[in-house]
Amino acid sequence: KTTAANVGGGIPSASAASMSRMITVSPVSRPFSSLTVSRPRMDNMRVFADISASTVKTLRDKTGVGMMQCKKALAESDGDLAKAEEYLRNKGIAGAQKKAGRVAAEGAIVSYIHAGSRLGVLIEVNCETDFVSRGEAFKELAESFAMQVAANPDVEYVNVDDADPEYVARETEVIKNMEDLKTKPENIREQITAGRVAKLVKEKALLEQAYIMDPTKTVNEAVVEAIGKLGENIKIRRFHKFILGEGVEKKVGDLAKEVEEQTAAMKAEAEKKKEEEPKVEAAKVEEEKTEDKPKVAVSPKMVKELRDKTGAGMMDCKKALAASNNNLQEAEDFLRKKGIAGAAKKAGRTAAEGLVVEYIHPGSRMGVLLELNCETDFVARGEKFTELANNLAMQVAANPDVEYVSVDEIDPEVREREIQIEMGREDLANKPENIRSQIVQGRVDKIFNERALLEQDYIMDPSRKVGQIIKESVATIGENIVVRRFMKFKLGEGIEKKEENFADEVAAQMGSS
């Protein structure tokens, strides 16, 4: 390549830079008339410049593709509309935007759990038919989007339109009053502010991120291409991300010390079990003998005293006192042998370690993301804890009405509204006020117990509640265990679905291919 200084013939300085990109010369300078000009790039630039806005509009109306993509296609096709349309079709882009208005209520719920189970993502990706959702191409696409969410820590929503208006307004106000903008004219300041806010909003939008499978395009462009290739509208509807222990004040400890403490505790527990085996056998024999005996009356006062000493639940204490003929010490031993005593006392300790786990129901039409916390990474890596976490994720999927972890999470306003609804029922109109209040309280408790995970019958042992299983696990493992949160997605919930004949769907797909 050459510069204006090399070229004979007196090239004006204003065109020197452009000529340096267009003219190829040998190492020896020659007169301008003998230079060989490399024209492809210059010709391409001329074609690009010569493309009229009306031609771009015509191609956009025919294909539904974006302006810049249409312009590029026309440039590559020397301005020929038919060739440009074919170019876009070969790229899998033509017609994609036209499909974007169609209802997409099928698809898949997929998940991504990062190595170490400290980060998890649940995502719903929709298409129009079950036929496409079962294909490998769609599954791979959905899985890549789940991984994309995990790879972009700042992403909070799917589209820029999903940004919280309050957040946008707040950021606009902050940026507008920055020191570097105070001296700018008002109109310039507004433009700069709008640009900076738009940049911030885009950084949090999934569709605006560089696609991890091909960083030369955005996630949105990957979706558009997939629409063109699969022939159906495709939408990333929603996603949810859990990062283990986020928001929990964590106690920084020495891992080596943790391991040492846990090992010592396990050793002590094993020795204690060995010593107590004869006592347990004797207790079993005694329990069998007492089964035929009449039930022992247990006073609430003794139950409270045993609860205060052991931290066990009310019904566990009552059962222990009945089995021990109201002997407090024997009742405490009974609870200890059952692995219940002391479990609730551990509940006050910080649990910021643990696992983020998922459960995807066969067919990918329902998915659950769950965070289960414990106190140390040592316990979190254990088989018992992992099994418990996976079972609890499955439990959430098995209970369609579950919305909360505990009844304590229920909004008092929601509870009060339910009370008012129950109070107004006709079957209670003639009841005395005190009786009516008791019945309403019982009904409302039942409603909310059905929505709380800890109140459900455990799927692995329906004779016990989930809350009881957690408590027993605390006693067995020796650390506080907390179900911190969960998220459940059901495919297409809330979307008005178009009913079609499956055979027609298949025929339509086969015809389009």
Side-chain angles (χ1 to χ4, degrees):
K1 292 186 180 179
T2 186
T3 64
N6 304 119
V7 181
I11 299 171
S13 59
S15 63
S18 60
M19 288 304 295
S20 70
R21 291 193 297 271
M22 291 188 286
I23 303 170
T24 305
V25 298
S26 64
V28 181
S29 295
R30 294 181 290 171
F32 181 69
S33 58
S34 65
L35 294 176
T36 304
V37 180
S38 178
R39 306 200 61 82
R41 185 169 180 178
M42 183 171 67
D43 291 341
N44 197 38
M45 287 171 69
R46 280 179 183 162
V47 172
F48 202 85
D50 292 342
I51 293 166
S52 67
S54 61
T55 310
V56 174
K57 185 179 183 302
T58 303
L59 185 59
R60 283 196 76 186
D61 292 341
K62 287 186 76 177
T63 63
V65 176
M67 184 184 72
M68 290 309 295
Q69 288 171 320
C70 285
K71 205 165 184 182
K72 184 181 177 184
L74 285 162
E76 292 288 340
S77 310
D78 297 323
D80 188 301
L81 269 171
K83 286 181 180 177
E85 191 175 345
E86 191 177 339
Y87 172 89
L88 290 171
R89 194 173 290 111
N90 290 337
K91 290 284 184 183
I93 299 169
Q97 273 84 350
K98 287 190 174 180
K99 296 183 179 82
R102 302 195 319 219
V103 176
E106 286 296 331
I109 307 290
V110 296
S111 63
Y112 172 77
I113 302 293
H114 195 60
S117 299
R118 302 182 72 85
L119 168 66
V121 172
L122 194 66
I123 191 168
E124 178 179 355
V125 183
N126 297 131
C127 58
E128 295 176 55
T129 64
D130 188 41
F131 182 79
V132 162
S133 71
R134 292 198 303 267
E136 282 304 314
F138 182 83
K139 287 177 184 175
E140 286 175 13
L141 184 72
E143 286 166 2
S144 74
F145 291 154
M147 200 185 300
Q148 180 83 43
V149 175
N152 295 113
D154 296 327
V155 160
E156 294 179 11
Y157 36 80
V158 176
N159 199 316
V160 289
D161 298 332
D162 300 328
D164 183 0
E166 288 184 13
Y167 164 76
V168 174
R170 192 167 59 247
E171 288 299 324
T172 301
E173 194 60 33
V174 170
I175 291 169
K176 193 185 286 186
N177 292 302
M178 283 183 172
E179 289 293 328
D180 63 330
L181 297 183
K182 283 186 177 179
T183 56
K184 304 281 184 187
E186 185 61 28
N187 61 330
I188 300 296
R189 188 164 60 156
E190 283 181 3
Q191 289 175 22
I192 295 171
T193 299
R196 289 182 183 179
V197 170
K199 184 175 182 290
L200 285 173
V201 171
K202 279 186 174 182
E203 285 172 355
K204 295 177 183 288
L206 176 61
L207 293 180
E208 302 298 328
Q209 308 308 307
Y211 187 40
I212 53 171
M213 298 302 177
D214 181 359
T216 62
K217 55 191 173 192
T218 64
V219 173
N220 188 53
E221 288 169 339
V223 171
V224 170
E225 282 187 19
I227 291 172
K229 287 175 184 174
L230 298 176
E232 289 194 2
N233 186 19
I234 292 170
K235 282 186 177 178
I236 301 173
R237 188 179 178 212
R238 53 181 171 166
F239 64 83
H240 208 88
K241 178 165 57 178
F242 283 172
I243 298 170
L244 183 68
E246 61 185 344
V248 178
E249 192 176 338
K250 191 178 173 185
K251 181 177 65 177
V252 179
D254 184 348
L255 181 61
K257 191 178 177 184
E258 283 178 18
V259 173
E260 191 181 337
E261 286 174 359
Q262 288 292 331
T263 307
M266 287 168 69
K267 190 177 177 183
E269 186 65 28
E271 288 174 1
K272 189 177 177 183
K273 264 187 179 179
K274 198 173 179 182
E275 288 174 8
E276 289 187 353
E277 272 176 9
K279 292 179 185 177
V280 171
E281 288 300 319
K284 279 184 183 176
V285 173
E286 192 62 33
E287 197 174 332
E288 286 170 7
K289 286 180 183 177
T290 55
E291 273 180 1
D292 298 328
K293 290 182 182 179
K295 289 184 179 179
V296 177
V298 178
S299 71
K301 187 180 177 183
M302 290 193 75
V303 172
K304 185 180 182 303
E305 195 175 341
L306 185 58
R307 285 194 75 185
D308 292 343
K309 285 187 76 176
T310 63
M314 185 182 72
M315 292 309 295
D316 289 325
C317 289
K318 201 168 183 179
K319 185 179 177 183
L321 285 163
S324 309
N325 201 23
N326 284 324
N327 186 304
L328 269 173
Q329 186 57 53
E330 286 181 15
E332 195 175 340
D333 292 341
F334 176 92
L335 289 171
R336 193 172 289 111
K337 286 167 192 170
K338 292 283 185 183
I340 298 169
K345 287 188 175 181
K346 295 185 179 82
R349 303 200 312 226
T350 303
E353 287 295 333
L355 298 172
V356 175
V357 295
E358 51 79 35
Y359 172 76
I360 302 295
H361 196 65
S364 299
R365 301 184 72 84
M366 181 196 288
V368 172
L369 195 66
L370 180 138
E371 179 179 350
L372 185 68
N373 295 135
C374 59
E375 295 175 53
T376 65
D377 187 42
F378 180 79
V379 162
R381 293 196 302 267
E383 193 177 324
K384 283 185 180 178
F385 186 84
T386 304
E387 186 182 355
L388 177 66
N390 289 327
N391 287 345
L392 291 173
M394 201 186 302
Q395 179 85 41
V396 174
N399 296 112
D401 297 326
V402 161
E403 297 175 29
Y404 316 96
V405 174
S406 166
V407 288
D408 298 333
E409 294 176 8
I410 295 163
D411 188 339
E413 288 184 13
V414 174
R415 183 181 282 274
E416 186 58 36
R417 193 161 59 244
E418 285 294 337
I419 289 172
Q420 294 307 318
I421 291 168
E422 291 297 328
M423 276 287 191
R425 295 205 183 274
E426 289 183 7
D427 63 330
L428 298 180
N430 299 322
K431 302 282 183 185
E433 185 61 33
N434 62 330
I435 300 297
R436 190 163 57 156
S437 296
Q438 289 175 21
I439 294 171
V440 165
Q441 190 59 53
R443 287 181 180 181
V444 170
D445 286 346
K446 184 175 183 292
I447 287 168
F448 289 116
N449 282 343
E450 286 171 357
R451 298 181 193 177
L453 176 63
L454 297 182
E455 303 301 324
Q456 306 310 304
D457 294 335
Y458 188 45
I459 52 172
M460 297 302 175
D461 181 1
S463 67
R464 295 181 291 173
K465 301 288 185 190
V466 172
Q468 189 180 348
I469 294 297
I470 299 286
K471 203 177 286 183
E472 288 177 10
S473 298
V474 170
T476 306
I477 293 172
E479 286 193 3
N480 186 22
I481 294 172
V482 177
V483 181
R484 188 171 179 223
R485 52 183 171 167
F486 63 82
M487 177 56 63
K488 178 164 57 179
F489 283 176
K490 290 178 186 175
L491 183 67
E493 58 186 347
I495 300 175
E496 190 176 338
K497 190 179 175 185
K498 181 174 64 175
E499 292 294 330
E500 285 186 355
N501 184 284
F502 180 66
D504 292 343
E505 285 181 17
V506 174
Q509 288 293 328
M510 296 298 288
S512 66
S513 62

